Amino acid sequence: MQSLATTRPTTFRAMYSSVIGGITTDTAAMVIPIDDHMVHRGHGVFDTAIIYNGYLYELDDHLDRILRSAEKAKIQSPFDRATLRDILVQTVAASGCRRGALRYWLSAGLGGFALSSKECFKSTFYAIVTDNTYQGPEGVKVMTSTIPIKPPFFATVKSVNYLPNVLAQLEAEEKGLYAGIWLDNEGFIAEGPNMNVAILGSDGVLLIPPFDNVLAGCTARRMIELVSRLIDNKSIQNLNGVKVQMISVEEARSASEMMLIGSGVLVKSIVEWDGQPVGTGKVGPLTLAIRQAVQNDLEDLTTGKLVSVPYTDEL
């Protein structure tokens, strides 16, 4: 029988656990107690930040979002914001990872197996650093998901209750597709299983669904800022504006370009939806330009979006 140490992916670099009060780089020790309410009741929230060239991208925006999610989920953080931030930076430093992802969770905590978190004596905080290679801008094929979308209250909280997201992803993968696209209860474009969606209309305006019924993606919100700046500077030809508004299926079907946006993919082109080509059926030039703008933002030390990590060899 293989041990956990030999079966765990070596891409798991380091983990922090408030249960043990420290950081470990031993993959066999990267565990969460079974009586944590996040495990058996799904009472937890999480977020992710990109590690790029030894910096954390948009850490503060992601940290603010997990705290908003925790408040909605009635989870009191075991630490103040400054301490959480320091733990995250130190966990990345201990990992030695310079290109990857930092994932972290706030949970109602340990206690037992009851439904109410009143039995939990203290909330818990976990973080893990993993290697990650961000995929290129190749085009992907998607479908309209038949899995019911989460109600707005739960869709806008980044909780660990991801069963609908998992089923939507599996449904697409079973058909050989990259992802499923959700429509909201009124039939408008909503989001992907873990990514926001945007389309480029025939009038050259980039449209993104409102964040009332879907998760407000940090990458998507940053992309809106970057695109607005590029339009003002006339840095991208044939892009006439960016709007956050409801998008009908008809508008999306006639889009010249369609894309997914998220920290795991940055900006990825959709070339086929429900078996029909989007635009020319190839990766669009404006999608490439927008992705490059986000990529440039990842590498720009002057924006305030990058947090330096004090790796051991730099101390």
Side-chain angles (χ1 to χ4, degrees), residues 111-131:
F113 297 100
L115 183 61
S116 173
S117 59
K118 287 183 178 180
E119 68 176 4
C120 300
F121 63 89
K122 189 177 183 179
S123 57
T124 49
F125 182 59
Y126 307 99
I128 194 164
V129 176
T130 62
D131 288 330

Side-chain angles (χ1 to χ4, degrees), residues 2 19 23 40 70 72-73 90 120 125 189 195 202 213 227 242 271 301:
Q2 288 182 307
V19 176
I23 300 168
H40 66 87
K72 289 184 178 180
Q90 293 302 323
C120 300
F125 182 59
I189 302 297
M195 293 160 283
S202 56
N213 302 324
V227 170
V242 56
V271 298
L301 299 178

Side-chain angles (χ1 to χ4, degrees), residues 26-292:
D26 181 353
T27 55
M30 297 178 186
V31 295
I32 296 176
I34 192 66
D35 66 332
D36 193 305
H37 267 233
M38 183 172 72
V39 176
H40 66 87
R41 294 297 178 187
H43 194 179
V45 295
F46 77 101
D47 221 299
T48 306
I50 295 173
I51 305 166
Y52 191 81
N53 290 343
Y55 290 86
L56 278 160
Y57 181 60
E58 290 196 301
L59 174 62
D60 291 302
D61 297 295
H62 286 277
L63 188 52
D64 288 342
R65 185 170 64 178
I66 194 175
L67 291 173
R68 290 195 300 270
S69 292
E71 183 178 6
K72 289 184 178 180
K74 299 186 184 300
I75 297 172
Q76 180 68 45
S77 173
F79 308 112
D80 60 27
R81 186 188 185 283
T83 302
L84 291 175
R85 190 180 191 274
D86 184 61
I87 289 170
L88 293 175
V89 172
Q90 293 302 323
T91 303
V92 176
S95 75
C97 179
R98 295 175 181 273
R99 187 86 181 268
L102 169 66
R103 299 177 183 274
Y104 42 100
W105 297 260
L106 280 167
S107 166
L110 314 184
F113 297 100
L115 183 61
S116 173
S117 59
K118 287 183 178 180
E119 68 176 4
C120 300
F121 63 89
K122 189 177 183 179
S123 57
T124 49
F125 182 59
Y126 307 99
I128 194 164
V129 176
T130 62
D131 288 330
N132 187 33
T133 302
Y134 300 102
Q135 300 171 338
E138 73 278 0
V140 297
K141 300 177 181 179
V142 301
M143 63 174 288
T144 302
S145 180
T146 66
I147 305 299
I149 189 171
K150 288 186 279 190
F153 179 86
F154 295 105
T156 55
V157 176
K158 197 170 177 65
S159 77
V160 298
N161 293 282
Y162 254 46
L163 182 58
N165 310 65
V166 169
L167 294 178
Q169 185 64 33
L170 290 176
E171 178 186 45
E173 290 176 354
E174 288 168 358
K175 298 179 182 297
L177 303 174
Y178 184 77
I181 301 297
W182 268 317
L183 305 182
D184 67 19
N185 292 328
E186 296 180 3
F188 290 96
I189 302 297
E191 62 181 340
N194 62 343
M195 293 160 283
N196 291 105
V197 181
I199 72 164
L200 185 69
S202 56
D203 58 356
V205 176
L206 185 69
L207 302 179
I208 300 175
F211 299 125
D212 308 41
N213 302 324
V214 302
L215 187 69
C218 292
T219 304
R221 292 166 72 99
R222 181 60 176 168
M223 186 196 73
I224 293 172
E225 295 176 10
L226 295 172
V227 170
S228 297
R229 189 182 307 162
L230 292 170
I231 293 172
D232 291 341
N233 297 337
K234 303 186 184 305
S235 300
I236 297 184
Q237 299 297 317
N238 303 319
L239 187 57
N240 300 322
V242 56
K243 294 181 181 178
V244 177
Q245 66 175 53
M246 304 294 285
I247 305 172
S248 68
V249 171
E250 292 71 22
E251 286 177 299
R253 296 284 186 201
S254 62
S256 58
E257 298 183 33
M258 189 173 185
M259 62 199 78
L260 296 167
I261 309 107
S263 59
V265 297
L266 297 186
V267 180
K268 183 173 283 292
S269 179
I270 296 173
V271 298
E272 183 181 294
W273 178 23
D274 289 338
Q276 299 298 316
V278 175
T280 63
K282 298 180 180 179
V283 177
L286 291 180
T287 300
L288 285 175
I290 293 170
R291 188 187 192 283
Q292 188 60 54

